[in-house]
Amino acid sequence: MTIIVTGGAGFIGGNFIHYHLKKHPEDRVVCIDKLTYAGNLSTLVPVMDNPNFRFCKLDICDREGVFKVFEEEKPDTVINFAAESHVDRSIDNPGIFLQTNIIGTATMMDSCRAFGNIRYHQVSTDEVYGDLPLDRPDLFFTEETPIHTSSPYSSSKAGADLLVQAYHRTYGLPVTISRCSNNYGPYHFPEKLIPLMIANCLNDKPLPVYGEGKNVRDWLYVEDHCKAIDLIVRKGRIGEVYNVGGHNEMANIDIVKLIIKELGKSEDLITYVTDRKGHDLRYAIDPTKIHQELGWLPETKFADGIKKTIQWYLDHREWWEEIISGEYQHYYEKMYGNR
Ligand code: NAD
Ligand code: DAU
């Protein structure tokens, strides 16, 4: 089987490529990635020499370039991870989110149609459901929860999901969609909560907690997400949406305190800063469908996953130090300077 994976130089796509080439060494994996600020070729160094792997530096909105790769590779399956993924950046500059997340998705699906109705999987997010109140722990997102977005990021992802469903109904494209909760693990770009707090802790820098730190996220170890996608692609029902999450809800401030404790630092580093605009209160996934239909369950407990993740950042300082020494400095100053 030949699989095109977009966004493979990013956090989840990169972890997926490592997972896939280990689990299915007979498959060919072709990565399409534009290498935006969030893409790091160093993430793919361990597989670059694998004869079953090819990297193409390409924008998923580049129709001609994408069609050429399809013509050369004749893929059986496409998994679309590529996206602008950071909510704060979408609040600052929505345009590129609409371009990559919506137009890019359409371009990938047009290629699938043009080359023989190729199997297409869209990597989506629980953020398309909006948020849940903090005082209703009995409520969860199911696949039937209406789309109700808050940020330009989540709106662009919801737009993409609607297009995927439209391509299925209108053209019969064999699609599936997964909507996952917050991931954490190796190769996570240090603009996101967990790697940012680990990096800042290790550099004894202030830890910027938005608002009162009470917002809740449902954290899943990235490898568990990769396993879920692999299952959906192989055994999922065509046209269906699958929620992916691990019933592991935690308030941001508790995550930050845990990282401080693991690294033996002081809580004095915590700095409460101005809240994110439109900040979603709580995400919580009901994963009953993927469990009952495909037998998926998260395997890594948060207590183990966070230790493994912190250890990875300690062991791979060069990976994240290179990132935070470049353009990231300007981003950080702009995002946190006057907060
Ligand atoms: P990321 O920002 O770490 O990586 C995105 C990758 O896409 C980068 O390598 C980047 O270079 C590439 N890319 C961006 N624009 C591109 C374009 N126009 N053409 C080609 N490549 C492009 O993102 P991530 O956290 O790994 O998220 C991957 C996917 O999973 C996204 O679709 C995101 O919406 C979804 N998701 C993420 C999470 C999470 O917790 N991180 C949870 C649920 C769903
Ligand atoms: O739920 C899935 C989503 O999870 C994905 O679709 C997104 O691509 C991914 O970025 C993530 O979105 P969040 O906005 O939840 O992740 P982030 O790491 O940016 O923030 C997590 C929480 O931590 C959120 O409540 C905001 C807060 N936060 C974040 C940062 C970066 C802080 O308090 N301080 C910070 O500096």
Side-chain angles (χ1 to χ4, degrees), residues 6-14 32-40 58-61 80-86 96 100-101 104 122-126 153 157 178-184 187-189 191-192 219 225:
T6 69
F11 167 45
I12 307 175
I32 291 180
D33 197 297
K34 185 184 176 183
L35 295 182
T36 67
Y37 79 93
N40 288 284
L58 189 63
D59 188 331
I60 58 165
C61 303
N80 186 26
F81 290 89
E84 288 293 333
S85 70
H86 193 36
I96 184 66
T100 288
N101 299 359
Q122 177 74 0
V123 180
S124 185
T125 169
D126 60 359
Y153 162 71
K157 292 294 290 184
S178 51
R179 293 183 179 146
C180 190
S181 60
N182 286 61
N183 286 212
Y184 69 101
Y187 301 111
H188 202 179
F189 195 87
E191 66 188 349
K192 305 285 170 61
W219 294 94
H225 186 190

Side-chain angles (χ1 to χ4, degrees), residues 85 125-127 153 182 193 208 210 217 252 276 279 336:
S85 70
T125 169
D126 60 359
E127 295 201 18
Y153 162 71
N182 286 61
L193 180 75
Y210 297 169
R217 297 293 183 264
N252 295 336
R276 175 183 277 173
H279 198 172
Y336 295 94

Side-chain angles (χ1 to χ4, degrees), residues 105-130:
T105 296
T107 308
M108 293 309 299
M109 290 193 297
D110 285 342
S111 309
C112 286
R113 288 184 59 219
F115 288 86
N117 230 24
I118 293 164
R119 175 82 171 82
Y120 179 88
H121 180 73
Q122 177 74 0
V123 180
S124 185
T125 169
D126 60 359
E127 295 201 18
V128 301
Y129 299 123

Side-chain angles (χ1 to χ4, degrees), residues 205-222:
K205 283 182 66 178
L207 307 177
V209 173
Y210 297 169
E212 295 177 34
K214 290 184 178 157
N215 302 61
V216 167
R217 297 293 183 264
D218 178 0
W219 294 94
L220 182 73
Y221 193 63
V222 63

